[in-house]
Amino acid sequence: MEAKKPPLNDKLEHRTLTPLRFLRGMICLLVLASTAFMMMVYFGFASAFLLRFFSVSYSKKVTSIFFASWLVLWPSLFEKINKTKVVFSGETLPVEKRVLLIANHRTEVDWMYLWNLALRKGCLGYIKYVLKSSLMKLPVFGWAFNLLEFIPVERKWEIDEPIMYQRLSTLKDPQDPIWLAIFPEGTDFTEQKCIRNQKYAADHGLPVLTHVLLPKTKGFFVCMEELRNSLDAVYDVIIGYKPRCPFFLDNVFGVNPSEVHIHIRRLAINDIPNSEEEIGAWLMDTFCLKDKLLREFYSTGHFPNEGTENELSTVYCLVNFIVILILTIICTFLTFFSSFWFKIYVVLVCVILVCATTFNYRPSPIFCLSKRHSKLKNVKQACD
């Protein structure tokens, strides 16, 4: 049994890595890394760590603003600098603040293109991922994943189950916006994995899929079990690339993809079953539909009902970039050319963030700012 390779689109070719693209990509990487470090040390630490001693809710709101401001740089790179065309299709989505996204996992950069959708819905700062725990070890970015409450998994259920329940229990407040993205396949799609998956499916009487892997049920079931009562909807997301699936550096240098197609179905919470067995069958049907739509995409070059989202505003991307760049320049000046105490501050913050990420630590409120505010408000109303 063989995995079928998607046919390439004759009109779109893999772009050549020219010296100009290489130089532009390296500059973009430098900008992204430097802005990430300075935003994390000077702003992310204060909002996601220090403010959390007073209020978890306020901390999440302020952190989402800083996080979203920096993340805009990535869709700007893809769509405005590299000229990658992002085409949305399927259903036109309302603006919803608490969503669970289930996406196919074609390649290592799928999760980045979910930012393009979240940005258009004004929810970029709320997006979180269930991701492999090794990514938490990345310098700077791993710190951010911890402060932003991403859920790390080892892909061994006996290890992951208590972690999933513990992390999800902190995300249940219906007043806190969240876009939680999960990839039920558990790993990215390759031809070798597909062949092994097809053999397993044939041996166990399961659907034989050609463009997605068989989904794993347990993670999705736990997400639904813990968050069902606070979610607005579930988004079924299907991602396809032209002319072929990119790697991370393909994105950075702008050589591939030329087009990213994202198909979305909005699923009502009441339409998703409750029991684990029924959810498993429902999820399998959902991935069979993903496989069918991907097969049609690679045959026709598009998903049905294109054009559900507008293009990004160039002015907005440019203004955001200038603001982030100015803040980074100021922070860089303070770090290297100002008082010695700024250097001490940066070193201490880095040590704290490394320790917090290593030991999975996030502060709990000590001063209970929100409760005190509510109490004072109630006292004032009683006096009136």
Side-chain angles (χ1 to χ4, degrees):
M1 194 163 303
E2 297 182 356
K4 296 180 181 179
K5 272 191 171 182
L8 297 179
N9 189 305
D10 294 336
K11 297 181 181 179
L12 296 174
E13 296 181 356
H14 186 84
R15 299 163 180 161
T16 305
L17 180 58
T18 63
L20 178 60
R21 284 201 178 102
F22 179 81
L23 178 61
R24 186 180 66 190
M26 293 304 296
I27 292 173
C28 287
L29 269 183
L30 178 62
V31 170
L32 290 167
S34 59
T35 53
F37 180 79
M38 291 303 173
M39 291 294 289
M40 175 59 58
V41 169
Y42 281 94
F43 300 98
F45 175 74
S47 65
F49 205 94
L50 298 181
L51 185 56
R52 199 178 176 97
F53 284 115
F54 297 88
S55 169
V56 172
S57 181
Y58 292 158
S59 172
K60 289 181 177 181
K61 289 176 183 177
V62 176
T63 301
S64 71
I65 295 172
F66 291 133
F67 180 46
S69 299
W70 180 77
L71 270 187
V72 172
L73 299 179
W74 289 92
S76 300
L77 167 64
F78 299 151
E79 297 190 45
K80 300 303 178 181
I81 298 177
N82 290 343
K83 302 298 183 183
T84 299
K85 185 178 180 182
V86 181
V87 181
F88 292 91
S89 61
E91 297 184 31
T92 301
L93 302 174
V95 176
E96 294 175 300
K97 300 298 185 182
R98 290 190 59 84
V99 172
L100 180 65
L101 301 97
I102 51 172
N104 63 310
H105 203 357
R106 292 292 302 178
T107 182
E108 62 188 20
V109 296
D110 296 322
W111 55 294
M112 294 183 177
Y113 284 104
L114 296 180
W115 296 337
N116 297 64
L117 172 63
L119 174 58
R120 285 167 166 84
K121 294 302 173 184
C123 296
L124 187 56
Y126 309 142
I127 197 162
K128 305 180 190 299
Y129 296 90
V130 177
L131 77 174
K132 58 184 180 181
S133 59
S134 59
L135 294 175
M136 302 294 285
K137 298 177 182 178
L138 293 173
V140 182
F141 297 103
W143 309 346
F145 297 159
N146 181 61
L147 293 184
L148 294 165
E149 301 179 273
F150 288 12
I151 303 176
V153 293
E154 298 285 346
R155 292 187 282 199
K156 295 179 181 178
W157 187 241
E158 61 275 11
I159 299 174
D160 296 334
E161 183 177 14
I163 295 174
M164 290 280 290
Y165 275 109
Q166 189 276 325
R167 290 296 185 99
L168 289 168
S169 68
T170 67
L171 305 175
K172 296 168 70 171
D173 188 343
Q175 301 304 314
D176 291 333
I178 177 178
W179 275 36
L180 179 61
I182 183 171
F183 298 92
E185 291 161 283
T187 185
D188 56 342
F189 182 98
T190 66
E191 187 174 348
Q192 292 74 23
K193 292 174 186 176
C194 182
I195 292 172
R196 291 197 299 269
N197 225 241
Q198 289 177 332
K199 185 177 185 306
Y200 178 87
D203 292 343
H204 291 80
L206 298 172
V208 177
L209 308 176
T210 56
H211 297 292
V212 294
L213 305 178
L214 294 171
K216 295 176 173 60
T217 303
K218 291 185 180 297
F220 176 68
F221 170 72
V222 170
C223 289
M224 288 303 302
E225 184 181 32
E226 290 293 294
L227 302 178
R228 176 183 292 272
N229 294 331
S230 65
L231 289 175
D232 296 322
V234 170
Y235 292 167
D236 176 28
V237 181
I238 310 171
I239 305 175
Y241 299 97
K242 290 199 253 182
R244 58 176 180 261
C245 293
F247 296 104
F248 174 71
L249 289 180
D250 292 336
N251 274 285
V252 171
F253 296 129
V255 296
N256 190 51
S258 297
E259 294 182 8
V260 179
H261 290 250
I262 302 176
H263 182 81
I264 306 140
R265 291 192 306 141
R266 183 189 182 278
L267 306 172
I269 300 299
N270 292 336
D271 293 338
I272 301 174
N274 289 287
S275 72
E276 184 171 358
E277 184 178 349
E278 289 176 323
I279 277 186
W282 179 91
L283 192 61
M284 184 65 72
D285 290 341
T286 299
F287 268 75
C288 287
L289 179 58
K290 285 180 186 287
D291 192 65
K292 176 178 179 291
L293 287 172
L294 279 168
R295 184 167 59 251
E296 292 174 358
F297 168 76
Y298 287 114
S299 174
T300 64
H302 61 85
F303 289 119
N305 192 28
E306 289 186 344
T308 56
E309 300 291 341
N310 295 324
E311 291 189 8
L312 288 184
S313 166
T314 302
V315 173
Y316 171 75
C317 292
L318 181 60
V319 170
N320 183 85
F321 171 75
I322 292 172
V323 170
I324 295 297
L325 190 61
I326 291 173
L327 289 175
T328 301
I329 291 172
I330 293 172
C331 293
T332 303
F333 175 80
L334 293 175
T335 302
F336 294 102
F337 305 106
S338 187
S339 169
F340 175 75
W341 292 107
F342 280 102
K343 296 180 178 64
I344 297 296
Y345 167 79
V346 170
V347 172
L348 285 176
V349 169
C350 290
V351 170
I352 292 171
L353 291 177
V354 168
C355 293
T357 303
T358 302
F359 298 104
N360 187 26
Y361 172 74
R362 281 180 298 279
S364 298
I366 297 175
F367 304 103
C368 299
L369 180 64
S370 58
K371 290 184 179 179
R372 286 188 178 184
H373 176 75
S374 178
K375 186 177 181 180
L376 289 172
K377 185 177 179 180
N378 291 336
V379 170
K380 184 178 179 182
Q381 289 177 345
C383 291
D384 293 341

